[in-house]
Amino acid sequence: MSRSYESFKYSPLRLGEIRLLYVSSLANETIWSLRPIRLPPKRPEKQHEVAFDALSYTWGDLSDKSSLICNNQELMIHRNLKDALPFLAKRRSILPIWIDAICINQSDEKEKLAQIRRMHRIYSSAYQVWVWLGPDPENSTEAIDMLPRIVQVAKEEGGNPMNAVRQHPTPESKGLPSLSSPVWQGVYRLIYNPWFFRLWIVQEASLANGIRALYGSNEVDWEILREAVAFGSGLGYSLQDDQGRRLRTGDPNRHSSVFLIRKMAQDRSLDPLWQARLLNFVLLTKSHQCSSPNDRVLGVLGFVAEDQIEQIRLDDSPRLLDLYIRFGHFLLRSVNVRSIGSSWWVFLNWAATSKKVSGLPSWCPDLQLNDADDIPRNSLCAGNRHRHYSASRCTSIALQTDELHEFTVRGKVFDAVERVTILDVRAWEKALAKDVLEAPIPSEGWTTFVHDDSRSGAELPIKLTLDDYWRTLVGNVTEKDGRNITSEVFYEFRRGLDIWAMLKEKMDINSSENKLLLDECAFGAVDDPDEKSKDREALQFLNESTHLPDFLHEIAFCLERRRLFKTSKGRLGFGPKAIQQGDVICILNNAITAHILRRDKRQKRTTYRFIGEAYVHGMMNGEIETLNIEEEDFVLTA
């Protein structure tokens, strides 16, 4: 008859205390005990004063719980942690271990928040952080042993989907098992382990003094694991067997970010200002998963110390809206936009979506929205793209008030949106050109189009040329990856579209099915076999004589989830899908791009809604300074 135990009861922690889990054995039985210890205010100089390990792992299915006997009481824990404990008991360490699900009273919200604020000190004080990647799958030992060879082959073959080779060697020719070998399943579970995708683990791994990974009973070398994650996923693009089959692949950037963030967190020389570091870590972890919307903030607080968290002024039991507003306002206010550059603007433009939770101000990002369908995937301020733009030369910033629901920016209004095209890049380009320029474009030889505005007293309109038009379509980035885009390339692109139109008619494709060919050239393959065969025939024919795929790819980069617009002064540009006639166009101080604001007519005083970043041709490199326009402050509200 099994023994029954009382449910576990936590004793309250005193100020500065944490709990540690101790393991011992008696008559071949593992005994777990939980004891409080006082954590020194700072990292101890002598490790023996308070030496302990910490665990980093994923909770897994929250509804799948198991019993753990601790302090002679029954404590319910998650299945993944239950699986880990026998291996943790046998790990190469005699130290007690800190495990959040056990060492924090999960039913006490006040204690949870207090311990979360202490995470920075806990993980940075731990002698070693152990990463639990899950129990031993079949062939796990062989998979671990194969990692160094995988890394070597991946480096030889490029290891990157952008560098995919045309001749695909077989795994056997590279000294690796055939794709039918079950060992590849173990490799895949390592490289794409769920641990890499969880938000909380990022700070845990980043703060660790030393870090070791357990895959069941096997220990995985951290550096080899890093290289396997960084390079191994590229093998799916470079190796294939005799039947044309390839390895399963995924996005290497998404799960390799934990290694990058750890490097940044350990290297204090990269950015000494903790507020700027925190903002960057928020952006780098936006695609990581968490179970609660509040965790988008709480899960990154471990990157900063307790006294720094106090400056953010979070409530003890914060509501979601208040948490996001206080956190967002603090980052935008405290981070020096001049020193951090593009990251500040990327964070602000994260707010430019209508999909966010009701009640958030227009300037405040909804941190749980990683990929709303009205936020452009390709920010004009991110990656290498921002190096092409420097819209503002002014450096002064607006003063902020104590009103948390408002954020004030400074800049210059230079134009307004007059017309927004209802077409996008997935439509027939000739119709797009006619709609934007209000005139058809001949195949070649066209030079200048003047916007007609005969209204009395109207400002002299800006002349639009074909050069203005095609440069706007690609954001005026004409050199990329060794390719140059010129007017001749644009004319070839136009001729390619004529060929595409003939092919569409030849293949008896209904006009409503534009996604079959034009879109797939730019946006990738589809699953339907018949559509794939038509795509292959079209691309083979088009690639022989045109630059359609390259040019259309650049258009897609700029215009996906955006709309083209004309301004009241005759300029061309593109911006968020939410832009409307009458929106004001401004260059905000220190900004990389132009921005769109909308007057909030519900307010008696002059306030604005933040709509998002924009490209305006001829205004992206300091031209605003030549227009003799006065600076003004814009109060951004709901």
Side-chain angles (χ1 to χ4, degrees):
M1 184 175 180
S2 60
R3 179 181 172 183
S4 61
Y5 294 88
E6 292 184 0
S7 296
F8 194 92
K9 294 182 180 179
Y10 284 92
S11 298
L13 290 172
R14 290 179 291 186
L15 184 65
E17 284 187 340
I18 64 171
R19 300 183 186 94
L20 294 178
L21 185 64
Y22 293 77
V23 61
S24 59
S25 60
L26 179 65
N28 295 323
E29 180 182 0
T30 301
I31 300 174
W32 298 97
S33 59
L34 198 60
R35 307 173 204 165
I37 65 105
R38 181 170 178 79
L39 192 64
K42 296 182 179 180
R43 179 180 169 184
E45 295 181 4
K46 297 180 179 180
Q47 289 290 341
H48 67 267
E49 292 180 7
V50 54
F52 63 94
D53 290 339
L55 179 66
S56 179
Y57 70 111
T58 63
W59 280 29
D61 185 353
L62 299 181
S63 64
D64 187 4
K65 294 188 176 182
S66 297
S67 172
L68 171 70
I69 305 305
C70 181
N71 291 3
N72 215 30
Q73 301 174 70
E74 185 179 40
L75 178 64
M76 302 306 294
I77 60 175
H78 304 108
R79 167 61 63 181
N80 191 38
L81 178 54
K82 179 73 171 182
D83 291 339
L85 287 177
F87 299 100
L88 292 171
K90 299 175 183 177
R91 74 189 190 281
R92 291 189 293 169
S93 174
I94 61 172
L95 297 177
I97 190 166
W98 188 89
I99 302 174
D100 56 358
I102 295 176
C103 298
I104 299 176
N105 183 356
Q106 298 297 323
S107 62
D108 186 335
E109 293 298 324
K110 187 174 182 180
E111 179 182 306
K112 279 173 62 176
L113 187 58
Q115 292 289 292
I116 286 171
R117 289 175 170 174
R118 202 162 288 148
M119 294 276 272
H120 180 90
R121 190 140 51 98
I122 291 172
Y123 276 94
S124 60
S125 297
Y127 181 76
Q128 197 99 242
V129 171
W130 292 84
V131 173
W132 172 248
L133 299 174
D136 282 41
E138 190 176 358
N139 303 302
S140 61
T141 302
E142 293 87 344
I144 294 171
D145 291 342
M146 201 167 74
L147 291 183
R149 179 59 186 163
I150 289 175
V151 171
Q152 182 181 357
V153 173
K155 290 180 177 180
E156 292 172 356
E157 297 300 320
N160 189 311
M162 298 303 294
N163 298 328
V165 294
R166 294 188 177 182
Q167 297 299 324
H168 301 286
T170 64
E172 294 90 334
S173 69
K174 293 295 182 178
L176 295 170
S178 69
L179 296 187
S180 60
S181 171
V183 72
W184 285 110
Q185 191 64 29
V187 171
Y188 188 87
R189 288 196 188 110
L190 261 176
I191 293 179
Y192 297 99
N193 194 280
W195 180 83
F196 292 111
F197 302 102
R198 299 299 295 175
L199 174 62
W200 284 92
I201 65 91
V202 181
Q203 61 180 7
E204 297 164 1
S206 299
L207 297 170
N209 297 304
I211 189 165
R212 298 165 83 166
L214 284 177
Y215 195 34
S217 59
N218 297 292
E219 188 171 333
V220 187
D221 182 271
W222 182 255
E223 184 60 23
I224 292 176
L225 182 61
R226 182 193 67 78
E227 289 199 315
V229 168
F231 296 101
S233 55
L235 287 183
Y237 297 90
S238 55
L239 299 183
Q240 68 179 32
D241 64 13
D242 295 335
Q243 284 75 45
R245 294 175 299 185
R246 298 188 182 184
L247 294 169
R248 294 168 63 187
T249 58
D251 180 5
N253 295 321
R254 185 181 171 199
H255 60 285
S256 63
S257 61
V258 62
F259 300 99
L260 170 64
I261 297 173
R262 172 170 167 77
K263 180 179 179 181
M264 293 173 61
Q266 296 283 322
D267 187 354
R268 293 291 175 179
S269 66
L270 293 178
D271 196 333
L273 300 177
W274 68 269
Q275 298 95 330
R277 294 166 66 85
L278 180 59
L279 187 147
N280 277 320
F281 291 147
V282 169
L283 294 176
L284 288 169
T285 58
K286 65 185 296 189
S287 64
H288 284 73
Q289 302 163 355
C290 56
S291 56
S292 167
N294 286 29
D295 290 349
R296 300 308 321 179
V297 175
L298 302 181
V300 297
L301 290 183
F303 284 113
V304 296
E306 290 173 72
D307 60 329
Q308 295 167 343
I309 294 176
E310 293 300 321
Q311 298 179 41
I312 306 176
R313 299 179 181 177
L314 301 179
D315 293 337
D316 287 341
S317 300
R319 297 181 304 109
L320 181 65
L321 285 180
D322 186 64
L323 183 66
Y324 282 11
I325 292 171
R326 285 180 179 274
F327 189 67
H329 199 279
F330 171 80
L331 288 179
L332 291 173
R333 183 185 71 249
S334 63
V335 174
N336 188 331
V337 62
R338 295 190 295 270
S339 64
I340 197 172
S342 62
S343 296
W344 194 95
W345 296 102
V346 171
F347 184 79
L348 177 63
N349 280 287
W350 191 356
T353 172
S354 62
K355 309 294 183 179
K356 59 188 180 183
V357 63
S358 177
L360 283 178
S362 63
W363 54 264
C364 182
D366 186 342
L367 303 178
Q368 63 185 318
L369 283 180
N370 175 39
D371 190 26
D373 60 12
D374 59 349
I375 296 181
R377 285 196 179 96
N378 306 303
S379 172
L380 300 178
C381 297
N384 292 325
R385 176 70 54 159
H386 79 276
R387 297 174 184 170
H388 297 274
Y389 310 131
S390 181
S392 173
R393 300 288 191 269
C394 294
T395 59
S396 65
I397 57 177
L399 297 176
Q400 303 300 325
T401 68
D402 293 331
E403 174 52 58
L404 284 175
H405 286 75
E406 297 179 355
F407 191 81
T408 306
V409 291
R410 181 171 294 171
K412 300 176 181 180
V413 171
F414 67 92
D415 215 331
V417 176
E418 182 179 79
R419 188 175 182 206
V420 181
T421 174
I422 61 172
L423 299 176
D424 59 26
V425 72
R426 293 172 180 255
W428 176 237
E429 191 271 344
K430 283 188 177 179
L432 178 65
K434 183 177 180 180
D435 186 64
V436 172
L437 297 174
E438 301 174 359
I441 301 179
S443 295
E444 55 187 307
W446 187 82
T447 57
T448 305
F449 172 81
V450 180
H451 176 65
D452 181 23
D453 192 341
S454 57
R455 292 171 295 177
S456 176
E459 185 177 343
L460 186 66
I462 294 171
K463 293 183 179 181
L464 298 177
T465 67
L466 178 61
D467 200 58
D468 296 328
Y469 172 64
W470 71 257
R471 285 179 179 273
T472 299
L473 293 182
V474 297
N476 203 26
V477 177
T478 58
E479 295 182 11
K480 186 177 180 182
D481 299 330
R483 301 190 305 269
N484 293 324
I485 297 177
T486 63
S487 57
E488 288 75 16
V489 172
F490 174 69
Y491 281 129
E492 287 197 27
F493 163 72
R494 294 300 305 278
R495 287 192 289 271
L497 291 176
D498 291 337
I499 296 172
W500 173 80
M502 290 187 294
L503 281 172
K504 190 173 76 168
E505 182 177 354
K506 171 187 172 184
M507 295 177 186
D508 194 26
I509 299 173
N510 186 280
S511 60
S512 65
E513 297 177 308
N514 285 349
K515 293 181 181 179
L516 282 175
L517 295 175
L518 180 61
D519 287 356
E520 303 314 327
C521 293
F523 298 103
V526 292
D527 294 328
D528 188 293
D530 293 335
E531 293 184 7
K532 282 187 175 182
S533 66
K534 294 173 183 177
D535 284 345
R536 281 194 296 269
E537 181 179 348
L539 285 173
Q540 182 179 359
F541 190 56
L542 292 171
N543 280 329
E544 292 176 356
S545 58
T546 76
H547 290 271
L548 175 61
D550 286 346
F551 196 89
L552 194 53
H553 174 78
E554 292 305 312
I555 295 178
F557 185 95
C558 292
L559 297 189
E560 187 180 16
R561 298 183 179 178
R562 291 188 175 98
R563 287 183 173 177
L564 284 162
F565 61 80
K566 287 182 65 180
T567 76
S568 59
K569 296 180 181 178
R571 296 182 174 94
L572 281 180
F574 56 79
K577 292 171 69 174
I579 56 174
Q580 297 176 4
Q581 183 181 20
D583 287 346
V584 298
I585 311 172
C586 60
I587 302 294
L588 301 178
N589 288 4
N590 302 287
I592 297 168
T593 69
H595 282 88
I596 308 293
L597 305 180
R598 182 175 301 152
R599 172 75 184 273
D600 192 345
K601 298 179 181 178
R602 300 170 299 177
Q603 303 283 343
K604 293 183 180 180
R605 62 194 179 107
T606 303
T607 61
Y608 295 86
R609 288 181 58 83
F610 179 75
I611 305 301
E613 67 181 13
Y615 172 90
V616 181
H617 191 66
M619 295 298 297
M620 301 298 286
N621 285 286
E623 294 88 349
I624 188 71
E625 312 306 337
T626 67
L627 299 184
N628 196 27
I629 300 174
E630 292 291 327
E631 288 183 355
E632 56 182 305
D633 286 350
F634 308 97
V635 178
L636 306 180
T637 57

